[in-house]
Amino acid sequence: MKFTTEPPHLADGLIGGVINGVINGAIAWSAFKGMAQVPLSVDSISSTGITALGNAATLVFALTFILTTITFFTYRSAARKSGNAPKALTEQAYWPQGLGIALRNTLLAFGAFIALAVLWQRFAGTLLVGPLAATVVVGLVAMGATMFAEWRTRGEMLQAAAAAR
């Protein structure tokens, strides 16, 4: 990761997002490939079967937390190696600063995704799609979660460093 003190942009995480989208899409494909149709959503919150949005919800939760933590350490390391980063940035500790960012990012991403999924379920009800379409949905969600985690983490680290000056 290249270090810069410029405010991050969501598009900065595009390469990592595409990589995670492909990886998680491949994992989803292994679960969906044997199914004739995959429910994108069903008309009941307590569905016991597999759905694309249910699969994506778990993914958003885990991926956002993991990638926020990874981004915290890689961005801080890049800042230290650059030699021109603010001391407040290079000395940020994972406990409690990094963990707090990870928890905030995870709860925000997961809560927003669940809210949108519930609204989708309410208005679309049961919607069946092919395994490829379900895989693409999961891959796109993974891509979005990756980009979101990197963008928010770098932004929060820079804000904390600026506030400490």
Side-chain angles (χ1 to χ4, degrees), residues 60-147:
V60 166
F61 186 85
L63 201 56
T64 303
F65 185 84
I66 292 166
L67 292 175
T68 296
T69 299
I70 290 170
T71 300
F72 178 87
F73 286 112
T74 57
Y75 189 62
R76 186 181 67 181
S77 175
R80 288 175 176 170
K81 288 177 185 174
S82 76
N84 63 353
K87 188 176 181 181
L89 180 64
T90 61
E91 292 183 352
Q92 286 182 13
Y94 187 70
W95 174 261
Q97 181 77 31
L99 183 60
I101 293 170
L103 291 173
R104 284 190 301 276
N105 286 354
T106 301
L107 292 174
L108 179 61
F110 184 68
F113 184 81
I114 292 299
L116 291 172
V118 167
L119 289 172
W120 172 268
Q121 174 188 353
R122 169 70 176 104
F123 294 109
T126 300
L127 183 63
L128 300 173
V129 296
L132 182 59
T135 299
V136 168
V137 166
V138 172
L140 289 173
V141 168
M143 184 174 141
T146 301
M147 293 170 65

